Amino acid sequence: MCVCSVLIVIASLCDIDTLMVAAVMLFVATFAVGLGPIPWMLMPELIPTYAIGAASSTATAVNWLFNFVIGQTFPPMKEGLGDYSFLPFAIICAVGVAFTFFLVPETKGRNPNEIAKN
């Protein structure tokens, strides 16, 4: 998604419609196999069983809140940043990758009690 966001900026700056369409389609496709479902699959592995209900409810509320915030802030951001309006999304994706790489624990072959200890 980070790369696709950068490609969207490049396509906007260079006025390359084909690249824009391809980058948007790849952005949606990578979201569909990455940031879309993976957090929902990861949550039961990282959260104790007794807290999954509350954590799922909170995560859903936060997800909807940030969808609303992005929907409300993108039009003014587009006006202010112009063709560079997808760079903040690329930066956020890059920070997310670093966060996941360094701070999200590996769960393969570990039971929930072992994961909770870390």
Side-chain angles (χ1 to χ4, degrees):
M1 289 174 54
C2 181
V3 171
C4 291
S5 294
V6 171
L7 289 175
I8 290 170
V9 170
I10 292 169
S12 294
L13 290 171
C14 298
D15 201 27
I16 306 171
D17 294 336
T18 306
L19 178 60
M20 176 71 76
V21 171
V24 169
M25 291 175 70
L26 281 171
F27 184 93
V28 172
T30 54
F31 177 83
V33 297
L35 286 179
I38 288 177
W40 301 107
M41 295 181 334
L42 189 63
M43 191 172 10
E45 293 186 18
L46 298 178
I47 297 172
T49 307
Y50 64 85
I52 289 178
S56 294
S57 298
T58 304
T60 301
V62 169
N63 187 7
W64 278 102
L65 173 68
F66 279 100
N67 282 331
F68 177 77
V69 168
I70 289 170
Q72 294 300 308
T73 58
F74 184 77
M77 189 171 66
K78 176 69 174 155
E79 284 181 25
L81 296 176
D83 290 336
Y84 295 97
S85 60
F86 270 83
L87 276 184
F89 298 117
I91 293 167
I92 290 169
C93 284
V95 169
V97 167
F99 174 84
T100 302
F101 185 77
F102 291 110
L103 298 175
V104 175
E106 176 61 55
T107 60
K108 183 178 179 181
R110 297 170 66 192
N111 66 42
N113 292 332
E114 293 173 337
I115 295 167
K117 288 180 185 176
N118 293 334

